[in-house]
Amino acid sequence: MTIRVLLADDQALLRSAFKVLVNSEPDMEVVAEAADGAEAVALARSERADVVLMDIRMPGTDGLAATRMITADPELSAVRIVMLTTFEVDEYVVQSLRAGASGFLGKGAEPEELLGAIRIAAAGEALLSPAATKGLIAKFLAQGGGSEPEDGAGPAYSERLGALTAREREVLVLVAGGHSNDEIAERLDVSPLTVKTHVNRTMAKLGARDRAQLVVTAYESGLVRPRVE
């Protein structure tokens, strides 16, 4: 199955470079290009892309707003978004993850990292290094950025976490720690398939699109506390 990729970046030269790279792979293809967020949303709907490489900063409708629009559309629930950023430690990245992006990738990433990110996002996994995503969220929350759930979400978090079984909470903590299914299976002495089942049930109960959102929820709910180095 070919992974359909949408490129959203206001720099035409960068889009061209990404397009050549993506189209060189037998299992993926660029189906459309967008120069701003509004165009990205429209093309995500019309082209049915599997993965959107979304620049955070674009004129007009930026990547963050576009991500929110895509993830809020039930018809685009299968679309996965990889945020592209110049700086890894960026509060907008955290906001993107809250909005439903699968993770983030620096624009200076190696070609294999970019291609791997597309494949991982398409598979519904957390993007690239879960530890990197966890670390960014931990730093941001430790600085007071969003350490309290927004919009009075505390009771909602408590109610949703209360719906989890003890094992599902245990798995959620390990996912937030940046562990893969295989690593979690080894720690809990169960099969990777069992872990996958727990992860999928946890995502369903918490309304999370993927593992990246599980990490955000674990921190914002207070289930996992960020550690300041």
Side-chain angles (χ1 to χ4, degrees):
M1 179 176 288
T2 301
I3 301 171
R4 297 170 60 82
V5 180
L6 166 61
L7 303 177
D9 195 298
D10 61 320
Q11 298 181 46
L13 186 59
L14 193 58
R15 292 201 311 271
S16 296
F18 284 161
K19 183 175 182 179
V20 170
L21 178 63
V22 171
N23 285 341
S24 69
E25 297 297 295
D27 61 336
M28 60 182 72
E29 66 172 333
V30 173
V31 295
E33 298 179 49
D36 58 52
E39 190 177 10
V41 175
L43 289 172
R45 291 187 176 122
S46 64
E47 301 301 325
R48 294 298 171 181
D50 299 307
V51 176
V52 181
L53 290 183
M54 182 86 75
D55 186 17
I56 288 183
R57 294 179 176 85
M58 291 184 287
T61 303
D62 63 14
L64 182 58
T67 295
R68 287 178 176 144
M69 284 186 251
I70 290 174
T71 57
D73 189 337
E75 294 187 3
L76 300 178
S77 61
V79 178
R80 296 292 175 257
I81 301 172
V82 176
M83 304 303 298
L84 298 173
T85 178
T86 304
F87 303 103
E88 288 192 0
V89 180
D90 187 328
E91 65 179 87
Y92 291 109
V93 173
V94 180
Q95 292 181 39
S96 299
L97 295 176
R98 286 177 179 147
S102 295
F104 64 94
L105 187 67
K107 287 188 176 182
E110 294 295 324
E112 287 306 315
E113 286 184 284
L114 177 67
L115 297 173
I118 293 172
R119 294 187 177 100
I120 290 171
E125 298 292 334
L127 171 63
L128 280 179
S129 167
T133 301
K134 178 203 69 171
L136 183 143
I137 295 171
K139 289 178 183 178
F140 184 61
L141 296 183
Q143 294 168 359
S147 55
E148 295 296 327
E150 295 179 349
D151 302 324
Y157 273 124
S158 298
E159 183 179 345
R160 285 186 290 170
L161 287 177
L164 301 180
T165 65
R167 179 46 62 91
E168 287 166 352
R169 288 170 71 96
E170 190 175 11
V171 168
L172 175 57
V173 169
L174 291 171
V175 168
H179 299 288
S180 67
N181 283 358
D182 287 343
E183 291 170 340
I184 295 173
E186 185 175 351
R187 281 172 174 257
L188 301 181
D189 195 25
V190 296
S191 72
L193 181 59
T194 297
V195 173
K196 184 177 181 180
T197 298
H198 286 313
V199 170
N200 288 341
R201 287 176 178 169
T202 301
M203 286 194 293
K205 290 180 180 181
L206 297 179
R209 286 169 61 92
D210 54 28
R211 294 171 78 101
Q213 278 205 301
L214 286 183
V215 176
V216 174
T217 299
Y219 277 105
E220 291 197 319
S221 67
L223 181 64
V224 177
R225 297 290 183 183
R227 290 180 297 179
V228 181
E229 300 297 336

